[in-house]
Amino acid sequence: MDKSIFSERDICTKYIAPALVRSGWNVETQIREEVFFTKGRIIVQDKVVKRGQPKRADYILYHKPNLPLAIIEAKDNNHSVGAGMQQGLEYAETLDIPFVFSSNGDGFIFHDRTGLSSEIEKQLSLDEFPTPQELYQKFLRWKHITPEEEAIVTTDYHVDIRGKGPRYYQQIAINRTIEAVANDQDRILLVMATGTGKTYTAFQIMWRLWKSRSKKRILFLADRNILIDQAKNNDLIPFGDKLTKITNRHVDKSYEVYMSLYQAVTGTEEESNIYKQFSPDFFDLIIIDECHRGSARADSAWREILEYFGNATQIGLTATPKETKDVSNIDYFGEPIYTYSLKQGIDDGFLAPYKVVRITIDRDVEGYRPENHKVDVYGREIPDEVYYGPDFDRTLIIDDRTKLVAKKVVEYLRETDPFSKTIIFCIDVEHAERMRQALVNEAQDLYQQNPHYVMRITGDDEAGKAELDNFIDPESKYPVIVTTSKLLTTGVDVQTCKVVVLDANINSMTEFKQIVGRGTRLREDFGKYFFTIMDFRNATDNFADPNFDGMPESIYEPVMPAEIEGKLKEEASISTASEILYDPTEPADPLVLRENGQPYTTSRKYQVRDVLVKVTGEQVQFLDEQGKLIAQNLEEFCQSNLKNVYPEPEDFVHAWNQSDNKKFLLSELEVQGIFVEELLDSIDKKLDEYDLILKVGYGKEAKTRQQRRTKINLSQILPNLSPLQSNLIEVLLGIYEAEGVSHIEDVAVLEVGAFAQFGRPYEILTQVFTNREEYAEAVQTIIKALYQE
């Protein structure tokens, strides 16, 4: 039989699948076809929000669920047997799969990525496909898994009753960790962007090691109650009565899985270190969530716990590993065994992309110098110097600047959605309170509807903290706008946060990544496909730093404890405090605050109310395919993408003329970020799609659909039409003029009411025209004539 007549799917069904079955692969448990492993990047441009094409593997073969061995890329028989190999290798690298096959139905090209074969690639007949056991044994050798360790690696995942399974990157993180543990690696670091499911990944690691009994007692450590409670009440529920949370500094040694704040088991006094009630060998496994926050520092309380349980396998989880001269995750845990970055998450369509609105305030750039003997609102003379952006709200408070920021935030929400959950990051708690007041005054109508519309949520405000759960809850409408300083930078899962406002000086890349992470979660069911960053302090300059999305360079330089102590005292400042709380019980001058509960004195702040400020620049930037922020409007964005597909106008014209399905071609352009419908809306709905693309992409003169229709002379291009056929074609051309060419290509157009006068679609195709082919040929002749120059 001539295989060239078969489609790619036919080749899969008739040749590839039978070859797999003959080699012993189980259709039910080991073979998956058409496996979509990404969701498709969300593209945001102006008001356009579209999802791109997801990635799909033709076949993935498994030893058992979630333990993939091979990928097969299929092509139809008009391609060579190895035509799918490069795509297969790309997918295999992404999916961490060792064996790749390409086939066109004649045989297979086999690529071995393990380096264990004498040949990297070789050709196989349809009857020579490797058996499951052959590939599995080679996989074990590749991973250095001994027969004694095999049971750990092959332990089943927990199966959710809702059918929830790990995403591909979670599967890789879990499998690599299990393999590392099987190979006796005792310090492991996983880096996964905020919103990618670190806790679920940790649970599956814990579950599989616990089920295999290679780890019998487990400790899950975090530094915030909300992290512990979210995990305990969600992902870790399957542990049931084997799980406990250490509370009230009470230890019960009858459980197998423990969750604890490190603060709950440590203290300044030796008797307060209740973790020492456990023997050093009590725990086999310790999971450290958000490990960048404490365990990275050699003298931290975390490290005391980790070193006490030094014989346990310890796994650090973070979105932002910390690397400075004094602090290092990598020095302690080693290089990450897997990294899934923000850029990857956005590219794959699992994380929300962002647009950036950069707003420049004149005083921030030009500075402010007080007049001679200028006094603040308390009558204190302001030192004579020039104050710039970084000084505001730390040394000098300009009330009108705070009001201007509040005004711009509320304006943006009113233009988009007044109930978009918004976090405003401020310099400190005092600044957060002043910002709250300014927002209340700017959004009086919304605040009067509900006083929880604007709230301050900081460590010193019990009323605000009491509303944190409501702010986090996607179902809760209020609070809408929250001002904070440091409390919400990490570990708080506000899934529906659509706006992140930066009015703080952010000099730490770790902190910047964590703040951006507050908006990266996707919630399509709540209409959240992207989020907006409003930047008043040029903090988004951090996006240009090569370390923003990649691993930081390890620059840790170990020093003696005394030197560390001196260095920390030297560098102590408000900007590095994890949470600085205003103490209203202390005298106002000098200002006294508390840093983590300890007294801390700062230089005094001066506050002025009569300084004119204004916005001097506002720029909107979007994320491009390379993860770079670009300032483009919709036309520029589409033009850039179009030239990536068709560098010259002749390339597009040729593709258009060769296409028998203009609707398909236009949909393919949309996947590439060329949004024809939206361009028509913004430029001229009367233009033909063809002319619109030539105009936007290459500056060509454009014709309307009416102009193209008027040049059609039916008697010349279709001289043998009957009067009835000619009338029908005129109706068809009327639909083209009103709707566009893609609306007349499909025979389904005959169901439109305007054709009822000619009969039902079947009657038109068999009575008005001789058959369907004659009708289709007439339509294609008209379409070609429309675009003939």
Side-chain angles (χ1 to χ4, degrees), residues 420-432:
S420 291
K421 290 198 174 181
T422 301
I423 305 176
I424 303 181
F425 290 95
C426 301
I427 293 287
D428 54 26
V429 172
E430 184 188 13
H431 182 204

Side-chain angles (χ1 to χ4, degrees), residues 274-286:
I274 67 168
Y275 67 85
K276 292 186 177 179
Q277 294 181 35
F278 297 103
S279 69
D281 294 321
F282 186 85
F283 293 109
D284 306 304
L285 174 67
I286 300 179

Side-chain angles (χ1 to χ4, degrees), residues 38-61:
T38 72
K39 294 188 70 174
R41 175 190 178 88
I42 294 176
I43 301 169
V44 179
Q45 185 60 219
D46 290 352
K47 296 181 180 180
V48 178
V49 180
K50 301 275 188 178
R51 191 180 278 282
Q53 193 71 25
K55 292 182 179 178
R56 174 184 63 83
D58 291 324
Y59 288 89
I60 297 181
L61 308 182

